[in-house]
Amino acid sequence: MKNRHAPSDGIQLGCFFPNGRTGAVFSDELAERNPEFSAQSLLGLAVACERVELDFLLIADGWTGLDKLSESLGHASPMFNSPLLGAAITTVTDRIGIITTLHTDVHHPAHVARMGGTLDTLSNGRWGWNIVTDQPNQAALFGREPNPHDKRYEIAEEFTEVVKRMWEEPDVLRHTGAHISTHGRIKAPRPVQEPGPLLVNAAASPAGMEFAAKHCDALMTSAPSIEQTAQMRERVDELLEQQGRRPEEMSLLVTAKCLIRDTEEEAQAEWERIESRINLDVCIDQMQTMYSG
């Protein structure tokens, strides 16, 4: 996952780079002892990930939320802008892949094409785009109503196609589509990866998986067992075949939370301490943020 054409010897390992001090385990134990987010701590973590030879970092992002309680207690906050944080990480790393999140409801394709070209060039071909579609909980921030689920992927499909054309076509692009219009060409730099940067999407719905099978190099999933992961792989392979693509053209990014200690007993004791102080009010706060709108 260092870049889309790096040779792979099988499984690659990455870090779901923290976009909040407690991640998805909203325990007051973690909030109290985790370091404050700063340039020093975040860039230090990126360097450490490269030093232990992880293959990539994936930096999630979101623009808004209802989680004032979470923020006041030190959970899931602050959340730094993903492409800006990714640009900073390029300055302290040399090898590790850097996948940043850019939303199709926040930006115009020209924004993504230009930022992507810059990030891929600054990283010497290590950048990837985590494509996130229209988010209902942030639509109001930008003065509009949220789109229905499947329409979000219709927009994302046209958006992604326009971004690719801006990267690939040297001349002025004229495009008037169902959702996007543009006339012009972006300034250099263009991505240095050929034929383009790594594209990632997290999807489970039929519309989302079809979009990923058509456009993406990796599908992020949280299948909870080996058997379910295998079933997901079979479904992905079927969708790729329908798009005329080979199974090896799209990877599965399977998320897992790891608690590492010297012994199993120490790890179990640590988890029990974390679990005993899970803050249910914060969990509810976060669910309202995710599903509002």
Side-chain angles (χ1 to χ4, degrees):
M1 205 66 63
K2 299 162 194 167
N3 58 58
R4 66 183 301 171
H5 301 295
S8 171
D9 55 3
I11 294 176
Q12 296 190 37
L13 298 177
C15 172
F16 205 132
F17 207 72
N19 61 350
R21 289 174 62 198
T22 54
V25 182
F26 301 114
S27 165
D28 291 337
E29 175 82 12
L30 295 180
E32 290 167 5
R33 74 183 190 203
N34 279 2
E36 293 290 338
F37 272 18
S38 65
Q40 182 178 10
S41 64
L42 289 168
L43 298 183
L45 176 59
V47 170
C49 288
E50 181 166 88
R51 186 178 299 133
V52 299
E53 299 187 357
L54 293 184
D55 295 289
F56 64 92
L57 309 172
L58 192 149
I59 310 172
D61 203 358
W63 282 78
T64 189
L66 304 176
D67 47 356
K68 288 178 64 178
L69 173 63
S70 302
E71 293 183 357
S72 69
L73 298 176
H75 292 278
S77 177
M79 181 181 286
F80 291 95
N81 181 263
S82 180
L84 294 180
L85 178 56
I89 291 173
T90 67
T91 67
V92 296
T93 60
D94 299 305
R95 181 196 59 81
I96 199 165
I98 304 167
I99 303 169
T100 67
T101 297
L102 287 159
H103 297 77
T104 58
D105 63 328
V106 171
H107 299 287
H108 185 275
H111 293 139
V112 174
R114 185 102 195 280
M115 285 189 281
T118 298
L119 285 162
D120 201 50
T121 301
L122 289 175
S123 65
N124 193 26
R126 294 184 286 133
W127 177 71
W129 174 21
N130 178 35
I131 305 170
V132 177
T133 63
D134 190 343
Q135 300 295 289
N137 68 328
Q138 63 189 27
L141 181 66
F142 297 97
R144 58 173 183 75
E145 294 295 320
N147 287 305
H149 179 275
D150 286 7
K151 186 177 179 180
R152 299 174 209 165
Y153 281 100
E154 291 177 16
I155 295 170
E157 182 162 350
E158 184 179 352
F159 190 109
T160 304
E161 289 173 349
V162 172
V163 170
K164 289 179 178 178
R165 289 182 63 190
M166 286 180 168
W167 284 337
E168 295 165 2
E169 297 180 16
D171 299 321
V172 170
L173 172 63
R174 297 177 183 269
H175 174 89
T176 303
H179 308 289
I180 295 165
S181 295
T182 186
H183 175 202
R185 66 186 295 271
I186 61 167
K187 291 181 68 67
R190 307 294 175 88
V192 298
Q193 293 181 72
E194 294 289 347
L198 186 90
L199 302 185
V200 179
N201 181 244
S205 68
M209 291 186 66
E210 185 176 339
F211 167 81
K214 185 172 183 179
H215 290 285
C216 296
D217 306 292
L219 174 69
M220 186 162 56
T221 179
S222 56
S225 69
I226 294 175
E227 291 76 19
Q228 287 172 298
T229 301
Q231 292 170 4
M232 175 69 78
R233 180 73 254 184
E234 291 176 3
R235 176 60 178 147
V236 166
D237 290 350
E238 292 173 0
L239 291 170
L240 289 169
E241 184 178 2
Q242 292 171 16
Q243 296 294 334
R245 300 178 67 192
R246 302 183 305 277
E248 58 269 25
E249 291 185 62
M250 191 164 78
S251 304
L252 282 186
L253 299 185
V254 182
T255 61
K257 297 179 179 66
C258 302
L259 180 58
I260 302 171
R261 293 296 183 270
D262 291 337
T263 67
E264 185 174 346
E265 290 76 15
E266 289 179 280
Q268 184 61 40
E270 177 72 1
W271 170 247
E272 290 173 0
R273 182 163 53 252
I274 292 170
E275 192 176 36
S276 69
R277 298 192 62 201
I278 286 178
N279 191 318
L280 293 180
D281 290 334
V282 168
C283 293
I284 293 169
D285 205 32
Q286 289 293 317
M287 291 302 101
Q288 289 176 333
T289 290
M290 290 176 64
Y291 296 109
S292 64

